[in-house]
């Protein structure tokens, strides 16, 4: 079956104080996920620009963190020997190790690079290639050790407003015998799709 992408255009009319109370129309687009039917809204406006937050002082104060190259092999946890005899998994500038404060059975951190701080535009495809390669290696080795850990996610929080407590760029790699809500929805929808269409989504 062909996968259809549906979208709807909404429009809000009002008289704007920013334009002498003339009528303006503000569009919103609603997009529907063809697998799950869930809807997302794409807004078309932005708030007035504010001064860019200057991270330089925070970067200076937090330099030499536990993810920096001089500390990462001394101060971060090691994997169980069954998963990694060396304790950690490194490819290029990326290094993976268990999270000291995990939120599940297998919670890992992958430090993406040697640099303590990079702006978004300094994060290159090569950095992610190395980081994701370490993530896949963690998943592969852990699943050999524990095949019940079938549900995995790789995610990243970037900077404090994005929920990251450490500036040094890193990924979270989390594996469990139980799926998250989101994984459960996707798996159920995928099964239904397969039953209806006889093919994988
Ligand atoms: Zn650092």
């Amino acid at each position: 079956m062909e996968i259809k992408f549906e979208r709807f255009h909404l429009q809000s009319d009002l008289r704007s104080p920013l334009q002498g109370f003339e009528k303006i129309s503000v569009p919103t687009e609603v997009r529907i996920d063809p697998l799950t039917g869930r809807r997302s809204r794409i807004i078309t406006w932005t708030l007035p620009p504010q001064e860019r937050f200057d991270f330089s002082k925070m970067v200076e104060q937090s330099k030499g963190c536990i993810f920096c190259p001089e500390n990462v092999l001394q101060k971060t946890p090691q994997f169980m020997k069954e998963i990694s005899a060396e304790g950690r998994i490194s490819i290029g500038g990326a290094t993976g190790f268990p999270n000291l404060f995990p939120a599940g059975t297998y919670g890992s951190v992958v430090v993406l690079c040697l640099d303590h701080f990079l702006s978004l535009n300094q994060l290159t495809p090569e950095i992610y290639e190395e980081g994701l390669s370490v993530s896949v290696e963690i998943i592969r080795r852990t699943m050999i050790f524990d095949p019940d850990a079938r549900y995995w996610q790789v995610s990243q929080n970037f900077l404090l407003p994005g929920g990251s407590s450490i500036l040094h760029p890193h990924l979270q790699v989390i594996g469990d015998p139980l799926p998250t809500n989101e994984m459960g929805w996707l798996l159920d929808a995928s099964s239904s799709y397969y039953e209806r269409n006889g093919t994988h989504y």
Side-chain angles (χ1 to χ4, degrees):
M1 191 186 87
E2 195 183 343
I3 294 167
K4 273 209 196 108
F5 291 97
E6 276 187 287
R7 61 181 178 179
F8 294 90
H9 296 284
L10 308 179
Q11 181 175 311
S12 176
D13 296 335
L14 54 99
R15 295 191 292 152
S16 169
L18 304 177
Q19 295 180 30
F21 296 99
E22 289 296 311
K23 183 193 145 190
I24 63 163
S25 298
V26 185
T28 300
E29 187 170 303
V30 175
R31 297 180 185 173
I32 301 186
D33 183 320
L35 181 64
T36 61
R38 293 165 79 193
R39 303 175 191 101
S40 59
R41 281 171 186 244
I42 315 298
I43 57 172
T44 56
W45 44 267
T46 54
L47 293 171
Q50 307 199 326
E51 289 230 334
R52 275 191 88 131
F53 189 83
D54 181 8
F55 280 100
S56 56
K57 195 171 165 207
M58 205 180 282
V59 170
E60 210 42 54
Q61 284 172 343
S62 59
K63 255 190 187 146
C65 77
I66 55 165
F67 294 171
C68 275
E70 64 270 31
N71 292 325
V72 71
L73 298 182
Q74 268 73 48
K75 296 191 175 170
T76 61
Q78 298 188 357
F79 286 111
M80 301 291 288
K81 289 214 158 55
E82 296 86 344
I83 293 172
S84 166
E86 320 87 74
R88 302 179 187 85
I89 298 171
S90 296
I91 296 174
T95 299
F97 45 84
N99 194 332
L100 191 56
F101 305 105
T105 316
Y106 299 101
S108 304
V109 172
V110 176
V111 173
L112 282 173
C113 54
L114 307 181
D115 297 283
H116 177 62
F117 176 76
L118 293 177
S119 302
L120 267 186
N121 59 5
Q122 295 174 302
L123 292 162
T124 62
E126 290 72 28
I127 289 173
Y128 281 98
E129 184 181 349
E130 292 175 355
L132 291 171
S133 297
V134 170
S135 305
V136 169
E137 194 56 21
I138 290 171
I139 295 168
R140 194 183 67 79
R141 292 200 206 178
T142 306
M143 287 190 73
I144 292 171
F145 171 63
D146 179 0
D148 287 338
R150 294 170 55 213
Y151 302 99
W152 288 87
Q153 54 178 301
V154 178
S155 59
Q156 178 175 13
N157 304 96
F158 186 69
L159 299 182
L160 287 87
S164 181
S165 54
I166 294 181
L167 291 189
H168 203 126
H170 60 283
L171 305 176
Q172 310 271 355
V173 184
I174 300 169
D176 274 309
L178 294 171
T180 62
N181 288 330
E182 183 75 28
M183 288 176 197
W185 288 324
L186 288 172
L187 288 167
D188 289 346
S190 299
S191 296
S192 308
Y193 183 93
Y194 185 79
E195 277 163 27
R196 283 197 313 275
N197 300 290
T199 58
H200 293 289
Y201 177 68

